[in-house]
Amino acid sequence: MVDYHAANQSYQYGPSSGSNGAGGGGSMGDYMAQEDDWDRDLLLDPAWEKQQRKTFTAWCNSHLRKAGTQIENIDEDFRDGLKLMLLLEVISGERLPKPERGKMRVHKINNVNKALDFIASKGVKLVSIGAEEIVDGNAKMTLGMIWTIILRFAIQDISVEETSAKEGLLLWCQRKTAPYKNVNVQNFHISWKDGLAFNALIHRHRPELIEYDKLRKDDPVTNLNNAFEVAEKYLDIPKMLDAEDIVNTARPDEKAIMTYVSSFYHAFSGAQKAETAANRICKVLAVNQENEHLMEDYERLASDLLEWIRRTIPWLEDRVPQKTIQEMQQKLEDFRDYRRVHKPPKVQEKCQLEINFNTLQTKLRLSNRPAFMPSEGKMVSDINNGWQHLEQAEKGYEEWLLNEIRRLERLDHLAEKFRQKASIHEAWTDGKEAMLKQRDYETATLSDIKALIRKHEAFESDLAAHQDRVEQIAAIAQELNELDYYDSHNVNTRCQKICDQWDALGSLTHSRREALEKTEKQLETIDQLHLEYAKRAAPFNNWMESAMEDLQDMFIVHTIEEIEGLISAHDQFKSTLPDADREREAILAIHKEAQRIAESNHIKLSGSNPYTTVTPQIINSKWEKVQQLVPKRDHALLEEQSKQQSNEHLRRQFASQANIVGPWIQTKMEEIGRISIEMNGTLEDQLSHLKQYERSIVDYKPNLDLLEQQHQLIQEALIFDNKHTNYTMEHIRVGWEQLLTTIARTINEVENQILTRDAKGISQEQMQEFRASFNHFDKKQTGSMDSDDFRALLISTGYSLGDAEFNRIMSVVDPNHSGLVTFQAFIDFMSRETTDTDTADQVIASFKVLAGDKNFITAEELRRELPPDQAEYCIARMAPYQGPDAVPGALDYKSFSTALYGESDL
């Protein structure tokens, strides 16, 4: 008798009597029990034995052909144990002990015992089946042994709704065939005779292979042959029975039907596994493809931004001054366009690039992928470094432009002043050399000589008076050289000519004086009155020339105080005019007195005053010119005073707006910092609040535009300082850009937290608990904490930390070793500790299913099992398989799967 023991998971087999399994009921072991105990000496029903032989032989050959062999006679071909051991190796995937190759009976018995021992090692208790009976070709025992193998390796693991073995297989058949008419599967014998159940199983899984509606219940042979032929041709299920064997038997053999049906189960369950595996792979590849698109977008945006920075920096670093104010004004206007038009979009691109980078890293962490490492030179830090270089180049550029404009303005003023003074001096020196070279004293009378001496003294006085102007001309030329005036060559040439001429005049004056002094003793008389006139007229004439020069002098001021100083100096000058007028009258009186004496003494004057060329007409003409220039100077000073008052208004107007906008930006920065730390309410509430806050900031932009307009008016007026405010336009711009960047980053952090929460299944209460814990240990309220505070936080959440474990955690939350842990890194870590994600092992297992348990997969298999785009994605990235079992076209799915997760090859 055969004994089945379900409790100790043993499996037993013995030959069945004629009623083995009627109705499919009876008691069940772990996977199968017989309805009736039977004696080993009873014979099988001949029809059942025929069916078992045929079915079991086909089942064995379906596995043996994988090893390149088969059997013809089931009770003869297993007698030496060799094919029996080979069969067990194929269906189990394990290696059995090395068989004995001898032909003697003892060798055969030893081989069969090795096979039976292996079966027993799998928890199967063989009762009444011995090696000698198999070696002797006992058909009943051999079939019993094969049935035991089929039960253990083909039926045992079938489970539907926690049933197993026979009941599980029966329930699977009932469910799959339930929708079909004329099919009612209640057992593994009568229910299958008409063949409709076999056809229904195939149609349910592969409807394109069976035209079920054309089958008739009264034509079982056709039905059975159709199902068996389709299964063999398209499903790789060998034909295990003939239709006539089933139809011509009152009740088909249950074991044969179960064996046949189990092949259908494994064929279709394998397809289900392949579908499940394909779905998992598709999901993983879709995530990877999306991430790669994001990486490509980042690389492209980073390249564009870095290229723009690379092109812009040399332009900002070009500090080569232009020659004219107009050219420098154009450079200033170009810089204003850069600040107003070109840079703001790049600020937004930079901020968006950082946001995209953070979002990509979050998605990679959530999908258990390695962190994204941009191409060399395109890291966020590289972009920040480039941006810092840009701002460093930009810093001071505007100030340099304004200083250059001021320098050029000063140069133009000095150049005009040089030309004016040089023209006056050159006009004065015109003819002086010819005069000094005259030898008129050689033929002159004594009176003429005296006159010539006095005239020469007057000239020397005049020459000395002009010394100051020559020195001023040389000083202005020197200053123009030092300020790198573009026309310095012509200035230097003209200055050198004046200086050379001045030296020549000095030399000629000295020579003439020596000549006149030789005859001075001969000169006794001279017209004292004319001499006095000459001596007083010359200084007065010089004073008037200086006064006219001063009154026509150009001026440039930048403040109210400076113009008021000029007005005060001008008023002081006007106060000296009455004294000057009295001096003029006195000089003219001397001339009149000389004429009166000559007339009264009947003296005939020969020509003009021999001691000077300054006639009363010249004095009166120049005095009239001075009188005309004074009101013109008054008007020019008043116009400049009005201009400076307007400039002061512009300063106060800008300062008033800047003193509002500057503190507003600072306050908003502090509020954002406080919001990012407190984060009250749900993440959605926080996100909504932050976006409202962002809109309020954007709505404030017109105030900044107004300030830009006021700043441009100040620059156009060439106003270079403003004592009414500490805020410059540069400070306001930088603060505004930082404010926009900060609110955008804060919103991105909350969005990433929502992404993490939803992906990891973190509840709102958990998120609030995480935030409360983090804020409690964030002592400085900066939004990040050092390693000591983070260790205290972990301990508070229940972690028992040694140094090694804590160092491991720190390498996860702080991969860049900055020494700080952010809230985002903290929740990423907590979510990883409590949730599950796809792993490389799971993906490898899925690919192995698609590959039919091979260590490699082919392109054909990938195209058959996966959607086209994802199949081609895998084919393009999988390396050729290099294993010993490789075939042409084999692909290595193992290394591909591990690479998806950034792991080394397993």
Side-chain angles (χ1 to χ4, degrees):
M1 299 298 291
V2 177
D3 185 18
Y4 288 83
H5 300 282
N8 61 9
Q9 298 185 353
S10 60
Y11 311 99
Q12 306 163 9
Y13 178 87
S16 169
S17 66
S19 61
N20 65 334
S27 60
M28 295 293 294
D30 278 53
Y31 59 90
M32 176 59 70
Q34 296 299 109
E35 293 179 352
D36 304 307
D37 290 337
W38 41 268
D39 188 274
R40 62 174 296 194
D41 296 326
L42 294 178
L43 297 175
L44 284 170
D45 180 282
W48 288 358
E49 181 178 348
K50 178 182 178 183
Q51 293 174 18
Q52 284 187 20
R53 280 179 176 275
K54 188 174 294 185
T55 303
F56 291 178
T57 299
W59 183 87
C60 290
N61 284 335
S62 71
H63 292 286
L64 286 172
R65 69 184 179 187
K66 297 176 184 178
T69 188
Q70 64 179 14
I71 61 172
E72 300 294 338
N73 189 323
I74 197 166
D75 49 358
E76 289 295 329
D77 292 349
F78 286 138
R79 291 179 62 181
D80 60 3
L82 295 177
K83 289 189 177 181
L84 178 60
M85 293 178 70
L86 183 60
L87 173 66
L88 291 173
E89 287 186 346
V90 171
I91 62 178
S92 69
E94 300 180 26
R95 297 289 294 178
L96 271 67
K98 186 176 181 180
E100 297 181 12
R101 295 298 180 178
K103 302 295 186 179
M104 299 176 64
R105 178 179 175 80
V106 65
H107 297 140
K108 297 178 181 181
I109 291 175
N110 288 340
N111 287 339
V112 174
N113 273 327
K114 289 177 182 179
L116 296 178
D117 290 343
F118 178 78
I119 296 171
S121 71
K122 298 301 178 182
V124 179
K125 187 176 181 181
L126 295 168
V127 178
S128 302
I129 298 177
E132 292 82 356
E133 295 164 311
I134 304 302
V135 172
D136 291 338
N138 186 318
K140 177 181 175 184
M141 292 299 105
T142 301
L143 291 174
M145 176 188 66
I146 297 302
W147 175 241
T148 300
I149 293 172
I150 293 172
L151 285 176
R152 173 59 184 86
F153 293 101
I155 301 177
Q156 170 193 346
D157 294 329
I158 297 175
S159 176
V160 180
E161 291 189 355
E162 299 183 359
T163 63
S164 60
K166 179 179 178 180
E167 286 186 352
L169 184 60
L170 186 63
L171 180 57
W172 179 79
C173 294
Q174 290 171 340
R175 288 188 172 181
K176 295 298 182 180
T177 60
Y180 294 86
K181 63 181 180 180
N182 298 326
V183 177
N184 182 19
V185 177
Q186 297 296 324
N187 49 52
F188 286 109
H189 39 79
I190 301 300
S191 297
W192 302 84
K193 282 194 66 173
D194 58 13
L196 291 178
F198 284 107
N199 282 278
L201 279 180
I202 297 174
H203 185 269
R204 180 65 181 271
H205 294 91
R206 297 287 298 275
E208 76 279 7
L209 300 179
I210 297 289
E211 294 182 297
Y212 186 83
D213 292 338
K214 294 183 178 181
L215 301 177
R216 302 197 317 274
K217 187 175 179 63
D218 59 358
D219 191 4
V221 173
T222 299
N223 296 341
L224 289 167
N225 282 330
N226 182 66
F228 295 164
E229 290 169 2
V230 168
E232 186 171 36
K233 182 176 181 180
Y234 296 104
L235 303 179
D236 199 26
I237 299 174
K239 186 175 182 181
M240 298 184 181
L241 290 171
D242 292 326
E244 291 76 12
D245 293 337
I246 298 175
V247 172
N248 297 332
T249 305
R251 189 174 105 168
D253 179 66
E254 188 174 49
K255 296 180 181 63
I257 298 296
M258 282 183 66
T259 301
Y260 213 157
V261 172
S262 71
S263 296
F264 283 85
Y265 173 86
H266 287 296
F268 294 131
S269 65
Q272 292 171 349
K273 289 179 182 178
E275 181 179 355
T276 301
N279 289 338
R280 177 186 291 276
I281 292 171
C282 289
K283 174 185 173 185
V284 171
L285 295 179
V287 170
N288 229 56
Q289 289 173 308
E290 180 184 2
N291 290 340
E292 287 187 357
H293 288 316
L294 292 175
M295 294 173 191
E296 292 170 358
D297 289 343
Y298 173 90
E299 293 279 340
R300 177 178 52 78
L301 290 175
S303 296
D304 292 346
L305 184 57
L306 287 169
E307 175 61 18
W308 178 82
I309 292 173
R310 184 191 65 77
R311 286 187 284 104
T312 304
I313 287 176
W315 175 68
L316 292 172
E317 290 179 338
D318 178 15
R319 305 295 170 93
V320 177
Q322 302 300 311
K323 293 181 178 181
T324 67
I325 293 179
Q326 291 73 21
E327 291 174 316
M328 292 304 296
Q329 288 282 12
Q330 183 58 50
K331 288 179 74 70
L332 180 61
E333 190 60 32
D334 293 343
F335 179 72
R336 289 171 180 160
D337 286 342
Y338 159 78
R339 290 309 308 260
R340 290 194 306 262
V341 178
H342 302 295
K343 185 182 178 186
K346 298 302 178 182
V347 173
Q348 296 298 320
E349 287 180 18
K350 176 177 176 292
C351 178
Q352 190 61 47
L353 192 66
E354 293 177 2
I355 290 173
N356 291 350
F357 180 83
N358 293 334
T359 300
L360 173 59
Q361 298 293 35
T362 299
K363 288 186 175 182
L364 290 170
R365 286 195 299 271
L366 295 177
S367 59
N368 202 24
R369 301 303 196 275
F372 168 53
M373 289 297 293
S375 301
E376 183 177 356
K378 297 179 184 178
M379 298 284 290
V380 172
S381 60
D382 295 319
I383 294 172
N384 288 334
N385 289 337
W387 193 263
Q388 289 176 3
H389 191 184
L390 174 75
E391 293 186 331
Q392 187 66 33
E394 180 182 318
K395 184 178 181 181
Y397 186 71
E398 187 176 36
E399 182 180 355
W400 172 78
L401 290 172
L402 296 174
N403 285 337
E404 276 301 307
I405 291 173
R406 183 185 298 182
R407 183 182 71 83
L408 290 173
E409 184 181 48
R410 170 70 175 159
L411 284 174
D412 284 353
H413 171 68
L414 287 174
E416 182 60 28
K417 193 169 185 177
F418 173 85
R419 287 189 288 271
Q420 187 182 66
K421 287 183 178 293
S423 297
I424 293 172
H425 177 76
E426 288 165 346
W428 178 83
T429 59
D430 185 40
K432 293 296 188 294
E433 288 188 30
M435 181 196 73
L436 291 171
K437 291 178 180 179
Q438 292 182 87
R439 305 182 66 83
D440 51 345
Y441 54 85
E442 295 179 351
T443 59
T445 64
L446 180 61
S447 60
D448 291 335
I449 292 298
K450 286 185 176 289
L452 288 175
I453 291 174
R454 300 298 181 266
K455 182 179 179 181
H456 189 71
E457 288 176 350
F459 174 76
E460 286 182 326
S461 178
D462 197 8
L463 187 68
H466 277 272
Q467 176 70 32
D468 183 62
R469 180 177 290 112
V470 173
E471 292 175 355
Q472 290 178 8
I473 289 172
I476 293 173
Q478 179 62 29
E479 187 171 359
L480 287 171
N481 277 295
E482 292 173 353
L483 293 176
D484 194 23
Y485 182 54
Y486 75 93
D487 199 23
S488 293
H489 174 72
N490 290 330
V491 169
N492 292 336
T493 301
R494 191 173 184 180
C495 180
Q496 187 63 46
K497 183 179 179 181
I498 289 172
C499 291
D500 292 344
Q501 187 185 43
W502 184 255
D503 291 338
L505 287 175
S507 177
L508 290 171
T509 299
H510 180 68
S511 299
R512 186 171 177 80
R513 169 173 277 280
E514 288 181 343
L516 290 172
E517 286 178 348
K518 289 180 181 179
T519 58
E520 186 177 9
K521 292 180 180 180
Q522 301 171 10
L523 303 177
E524 297 177 349
T525 61
I526 191 168
D527 191 345
Q528 293 297 326
L529 194 58
H530 278 185
L531 180 59
E532 182 181 357
Y533 171 90
K535 288 183 178 180
R536 293 183 68 172
F540 185 70
N541 182 61
N542 284 331
W543 176 86
M544 287 191 297
E545 287 182 350
S546 297
M548 288 189 294
E549 185 177 343
D550 290 340
L551 288 170
Q552 295 178 87
D553 188 22
M554 297 175 61
F555 56 84
I556 179 169
V557 296
H558 297 96
T559 65
I560 287 288
E561 291 77 14
E562 290 178 354
I563 190 60
E564 288 178 348
L566 290 178
I567 293 173
S568 175
H570 184 60
D571 289 342
Q572 185 176 0
F573 167 75
K574 288 192 293 184
S575 69
T576 66
L577 290 178
D579 291 338
D581 191 34
R582 285 190 289 272
E583 175 66 12
R584 182 183 67 84
E585 293 292 343
I587 293 171
L588 294 177
I590 294 172
H591 177 72
K592 290 179 181 179
E593 179 64 16
Q595 286 183 334
R596 186 190 66 77
I597 294 172
E599 289 174 358
S600 64
N601 293 283
H602 305 286
I603 300 173
K604 186 178 180 180
L605 298 176
S606 57
S608 60
N609 191 322
Y611 304 115
T612 182
T613 59
V614 181
T615 65
Q617 292 77 14
I618 291 175
I619 291 175
N620 286 332
S621 175
K622 290 183 178 180
W623 179 256
E624 184 180 352
K625 185 66 179 294
V626 170
Q627 294 295 97
Q628 293 173 354
L629 289 174
V630 168
K632 290 183 178 179
R633 185 73 169 182
D634 287 335
H635 179 70
L637 291 172
L638 288 175
E639 278 191 345
E640 184 62 30
Q641 186 181 38
S642 175
K643 175 184 174 184
Q644 291 303 322
Q645 288 173 343
S646 174
N647 288 352
E648 183 67 10
H649 172 71
L650 291 176
R651 287 189 183 96
R652 293 182 181 275
Q653 178 178 266
F654 175 82
S656 174
Q657 182 72 1
N659 289 337
I660 294 173
V661 174
W664 184 88
I665 291 175
Q666 182 63 33
T667 300
K668 294 303 177 185
M669 287 290 290
E670 293 171 356
E671 289 177 359
I672 292 172
R674 189 162 53 252
I675 291 172
S676 65
I677 292 174
E678 294 174 355
M679 289 295 182
N680 296 320
T682 67
L683 291 177
E684 284 76 8
D685 292 340
Q686 295 166 20
L687 184 60
S688 175
H689 179 56
L690 285 170
K691 287 187 175 179
Q692 291 176 0
Y693 207 81
E694 183 181 40
R695 286 193 292 273
S696 72
I697 292 174
V698 173
D699 292 342
Y700 196 75
K701 181 64 164 55
N703 295 281
L704 202 73
D705 296 337
L706 175 60
L707 199 61
E708 285 281 9
Q709 295 170 7
Q710 295 171 348
H711 177 65
Q712 182 167 346
L713 292 176
I714 283 178
Q715 287 190 330
E716 290 171 353
L718 297 179
I719 299 172
F720 303 109
D721 55 8
N722 194 339
K723 65 183 179 181
H724 304 297
T725 181
N726 292 325
Y727 293 100
T728 66
M729 195 65 233
E730 182 64 23
H731 293 153
I732 297 294
R733 290 169 184 152
V734 172
W736 178 256
E737 291 170 0
Q738 290 177 346
L739 179 62
L740 291 177
T741 299
T742 301
I743 186 64
R745 285 174 176 166
T746 305
I747 289 174
N748 180 244
E749 287 176 2
V750 175
E751 290 174 338
N752 283 342
Q753 291 173 22
I754 292 174
L755 188 62
T756 302
R757 181 200 65 190
D758 295 344
K760 299 297 186 177
I762 302 174
S763 67
Q764 183 62 36
E765 291 74 15
Q766 285 177 305
M767 187 63 75
Q768 290 175 343
E769 182 180 347
F770 290 158
R771 170 55 75 179
S773 299
F774 188 89
N775 287 346
H776 176 75
F777 287 94
D778 182 9
K779 305 298 185 183
K780 298 177 182 177
Q781 296 296 296
T782 60
S784 60
M785 62 180 68
D786 58 28
S787 58
D788 291 338
D789 290 340
F790 183 60
R791 181 190 287 269
L793 171 59
L794 291 179
I795 292 173
S796 73
T797 59
Y799 278 85
S800 177
L801 296 174
D803 288 342
E805 175 62 12
F806 180 68
N807 290 335
R808 181 193 70 80
I809 294 175
M810 282 299 295
S811 68
V812 173
V813 299
D814 183 22
N816 295 324
H817 306 292
S818 65
L820 296 176
V821 180
T822 64
F823 179 67
Q824 182 64 42
F826 170 62
I827 61 173
D828 284 346
F829 169 73
M830 294 303 293
S831 63
R832 278 197 298 272
E833 295 295 305
T834 56
T835 57
D836 184 28
T837 59
D838 290 325
T839 65
D841 288 341
Q842 291 174 322
V843 175
I844 290 172
S846 299
F847 271 119
K848 192 168 186 178
V849 171
L850 298 186
D853 284 338
K854 299 190 301 293
N855 291 323
F856 58 84
I857 195 167
T858 65
E860 181 183 355
E861 289 170 331
L862 287 170
R863 292 190 177 103
R864 184 181 68 232
E865 301 293 346
L866 298 179
D869 61 331
Q870 294 186 337
E872 298 306 322
Y873 177 84
C874 292
I875 294 168
R877 287 164 173 76
M878 283 186 182
Y881 177 69
Q882 304 294 339
D885 53 339
V887 299
L891 300 174
D892 188 349
Y893 61 78
K894 192 175 186 182
S895 60
F896 171 74
S897 301
T898 56
L900 288 178
Y901 291 85
E903 302 173 7
S904 60
D905 199 0
L906 299 179

